[in-house]
Amino acid sequence: MSALPPGSVIGILGGGQLGRMLAIAAARLGQQVHIYSDATGPAFDVASRHTVGSYEDTNAVAAWAREVDVVTYEFENVPLSAVAAAAAVNPVRPGARALEVSQDRLVEKQFVASLGLPVAPFAAIDSDADLTRALQEMGTPVLLKTRRLGYDGKGQTRIKTPARAATALDEIGRAPAIVEGFVTFEYEVSVILVRGLDGHTASYDIPLNTHVDGILATSTVPGPLPGAITKQAVEFAERVAVALEYVGVLAVELFFVGADANTPLVVNEIAPRVHNSGHWTLDACAVSQFENHIRAVSG
């Protein structure tokens, strides 16, 4: 449980923009960063070292992991086999369970619901018959989403009437899917929470998130979430983090349905990483989400 000393090497799976910002935060704390990525990315410019290799090449991942002191990742679609290869050599924080849950929308919904947290109505879709049955039970409109690899409005389509069912499945390539009932909400917020090795948690002010065409456009702080419900939102995120034995920064996106609703908050998605709705912490906070993630995974 001891903290990594200055000069330690943090391995980051992924070489994108989030990896870049994590590497800069690590350097400010006196840590080195070694990136492993399947392609050249912006994190390479600011890292001490970088390795290009396939995430599927578990021998290469294991060899890279031997050259670092702890491993983390900057995006949630790192193959579980790569994380397992790294974890056999050095600690991976957050652990593989967080990836396993967040990589599959159906598994994620089932996991969140198992914690007693409110989620939108949902059903697994593997065939036309599944979708027909779900629409009969849930009505329309609904969202049809691929279970894997969807993000920022990609891999999903809206079904406004039952007649759209067949073409909707074609639009997502007939991939294994999940259908979600619409949630009528006033606005979306996100909890950016960090959890340490000792289980201690802290969270940032909760921003109001505004999306355009399914992509986050702005996060506004202070947000409008009422005080008592703010506390509940943080408790929801803590429950997720504890269940995952999470270490690092975790984002939990929530819909605010209304203060007078039976369930004022509905969990939308979780992201096991630093999050774009937390970028404002770079300028507004003494310790950004990126520095807090490095602090957490370093102990």
Side-chain angles (χ1 to χ4, degrees):
M1 291 281 280
S2 59
L4 294 178
S8 298
V9 182
I10 297 169
I12 301 177
L13 288 163
Q17 63 170 334
L18 298 180
R20 178 187 177 92
M21 289 184 269
L22 286 169
I24 292 170
R28 287 178 176 147
L29 293 172
Q31 307 289 44
Q32 299 181 58
V33 165
H34 188 167
I35 302 287
Y36 186 99
S37 178
D38 60 357
T40 300
F44 284 26
D45 298 334
V46 295
S48 305
R49 295 185 61 191
H50 55 261
T51 296
V52 177
S54 169
Y55 293 120
E56 305 293 347
D57 186 343
T58 54
N59 289 330
V61 172
W64 163 80
R66 291 187 190 98
E67 299 182 9
V68 306
D69 297 299
V70 67
V71 173
T72 190
Y73 41 85
E74 61 133 19
F75 71 113
E76 57 265 57
N77 287 317
V78 177
L80 290 173
S81 59
V83 173
V89 178
N90 266 313
V92 178
R93 301 168 182 157
R97 177 61 176 154
L99 283 184
E100 183 182 19
V101 166
S102 61
Q103 285 180 358
D104 187 313
R105 284 186 166 116
L106 177 62
V107 174
E108 181 180 84
K109 280 285 189 292
Q110 292 170 333
F111 167 76
V112 174
S114 75
L115 301 179
L117 302 179
V119 296
F122 67 94
I125 305 298
D126 294 307
S127 66
D128 292 81
D130 287 342
L131 184 54
T132 298
R133 188 179 312 111
L135 295 181
Q136 289 172 346
E137 294 174 356
M138 297 167 60
T140 53
V142 296
L143 283 171
L144 180 68
K145 302 178 180 181
T146 56
R147 285 176 57 173
R148 291 181 173 271
L149 301 177
Y151 64 96
D152 286 349
K154 307 292 192 301
Q156 61 182 266
T157 187
R158 184 174 300 191
I159 300 176
K160 294 182 179 180
T161 66
R164 269 262 300 139
T167 54
L169 279 170
D170 291 336
E171 287 175 15
I172 64 166
R174 295 193 164 266
I178 180 174
V179 69
E180 296 179 8
F182 261 77
V183 176
T184 302
F185 60 94
E186 294 186 19
Y187 47 80
E188 186 195 277
V189 299
S190 55
V191 178
I192 307 296
L193 177 136
V194 61
R195 185 171 185 265
L197 277 172
D198 60 359
H200 178 74
T201 62
S203 60
Y204 290 94
D205 289 352
I206 297 177
L208 166 68
N209 296 327
T210 303
H211 293 77
V212 176
D213 297 327
I215 299 174
L216 182 65
T218 61
S219 292
T220 305
V221 181
L225 200 63
I229 297 173
T230 293
K231 182 179 179 182
Q232 185 181 61
V234 173
E235 288 172 350
F236 281 10
E238 288 174 341
R239 203 180 305 178
V240 171
V242 169
L244 292 174
E245 298 181 333
Y246 199 89
V247 175
V249 167
L250 170 74
V252 179
E253 299 174 0
L254 307 115
F255 296 128
F256 175 62
V257 177
D260 297 328
N262 291 332
T263 53
L265 293 171
V266 174
V267 178
N268 180 27
E269 292 182 346
I270 63 175
R273 54 174 170 80
V274 287
H275 195 255
N276 50 358
S277 67
H279 286 350
W280 61 273
T281 64
L282 279 167
D283 298 311
C285 299
V287 180
S288 74
Q289 65 165 344
F290 302 98
E291 182 176 332
N292 254 327
H293 186 80
I294 297 297
R295 286 180 177 276
V297 302
S298 300

